[in-house]
């Protein structure tokens, strides 16, 4: 999604308003679903196992979740304006999306290469299973078929529709 949108934003004319509308929907999912899964179900278990909430990997993850929300607070109104035909928002939207994409790509790398391997070493099989159940509860709270819906949106964005 990020690479596809970066390519669209790098074009002089920018992405289509419809594509930006899909992006807004997708970014809400990332913020509401992805971050909540970690904050509600993974992080507390890691804390209970001795990983400090402030400083270290959890502190970094939480700071980045907060920073992402700050960027989204700027990005979403710009994207909504642009999706509604406000082409004058393109420059600011391009910058805000670039900042958000850079943060997320770096954040996801840290999760996949640092945090999650640490979690696998710290959590037992039963605790890891509880995390999975919690993740499924977060997704279910967003409605039936949430994951599938957002996978379809990601595919549409990737295809540039």
């Amino acid at each position: 999604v990020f690479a596809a949108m970066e390519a669209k934003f790098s074009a002089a004319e920018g992405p289509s308003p419809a594509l930006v509308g899909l992006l807004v929907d997708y970014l809400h999912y990332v913020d509401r679903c992805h971050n909540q899964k970690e904050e509600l179900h993974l992080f507390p278990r890691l804390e209970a196992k001795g990983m400090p909430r402030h400083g270290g990997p959890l502190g970094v993850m939480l700071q980045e979740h907060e920073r992402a929300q700050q960027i989204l607070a700027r990005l979403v109104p710009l994207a909504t304006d642009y999706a509604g035909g406000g082409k004058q928002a393109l420059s600011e939207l391009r910058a805000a999306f670039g900042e958000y994409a850079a943060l997320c790509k770096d954040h996801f790398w840290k999760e996949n290469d640092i945090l999650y391997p640490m979690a696998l070493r710290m959590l037992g099989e039963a605790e890891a299973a509880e995390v999975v159940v919690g993740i499924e509860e977060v997704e279910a709270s967003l409605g039936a078929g949430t994951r599938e819906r957002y996978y379809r949106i990601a595919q549409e964005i990737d295809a540039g529709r």
Side-chain angles (χ1 to χ4, degrees), residues 11-90:
E13 69 279 2
S16 72
L19 193 59
V20 171
L22 286 174
L23 176 67
V24 169
D25 194 11
Y26 186 80
L27 296 181
H28 280 299
Y29 169 75
V30 171
D31 184 52
R32 287 185 326 205
C33 193
H34 175 85
N35 294 350
Q36 282 190 17
K37 290 175 187 179
E38 294 173 347
E39 291 176 14
L40 296 176
H41 300 287
L42 177 62
F43 295 177
R45 284 175 176 79
L46 293 176
E47 263 188 284
K49 288 290 196 172
M51 186 180 284
R53 184 171 186 82
H54 303 288
L58 287 186
V60 170
M61 294 293 107
L62 289 166
Q63 286 175 342
E64 290 180 356
H65 287 181
E66 185 176 319
R67 182 68 189 129
Q69 289 177 343
Q70 292 167 353
I71 297 168
L72 283 174
R74 284 192 349 258
L75 191 153
V76 169
L78 291 166
T80 301
D81 182 34
Y82 183 85
K87 292 284 190 175
Q88 74 284 355
L90 178 59

Side-chain angles (χ1 to χ4, degrees), residues 1 9 22 33 36 46 51 54-56 79 88 94 100-101 106 117 119 132 138-140 149 153 155:
V1 169
F9 274 115
L22 286 174
C33 193
Q36 282 190 17
L46 293 176
M51 186 180 284
H54 303 288
Q88 74 284 355
R94 183 180 279 137
Y100 184 79
D106 186 53
V132 171
V138 169
E139 288 181 359
R149 177 174 176 247
I153 291 172
Q155 289 171 341

Side-chain angles (χ1 to χ4, degrees), residues 50-157:
M51 186 180 284
R53 184 171 186 82
H54 303 288
L58 287 186
V60 170
M61 294 293 107
L62 289 166
Q63 286 175 342
E64 290 180 356
H65 287 181
E66 185 176 319
R67 182 68 189 129
Q69 289 177 343
Q70 292 167 353
I71 297 168
L72 283 174
R74 284 192 349 258
L75 191 153
V76 169
L78 291 166
T80 301
D81 182 34
Y82 183 85
K87 292 284 190 175
Q88 74 284 355
L90 178 59
S91 180
E92 286 182 77
L93 175 59
R94 183 180 279 137
F97 178 77
E99 186 180 352
Y100 184 79
L103 174 69
C104 286
K105 290 188 297 185
D106 186 53
H107 181 81
F108 297 154
W109 177 86
K110 289 174 192 168
E111 287 175 342
N112 292 328
D113 288 12
I114 298 169
L115 182 67
Y116 296 157
M118 288 176 78
L120 289 173
R121 289 191 302 271
M122 292 178 75
L123 299 177
E125 196 172 303
E127 293 163 316
E130 290 172 2
V131 170
V132 171
V133 168
I135 286 169
E136 291 168 350
E137 289 171 0
V138 169
E139 288 181 359
S141 75
L142 297 174
T146 294
R147 181 183 292 186
E148 294 78 13
R149 177 174 176 247
Y150 284 99
Y151 281 177
R152 280 192 306 276
I153 291 172
Q155 289 171 341
E156 288 182 48
I157 290 171

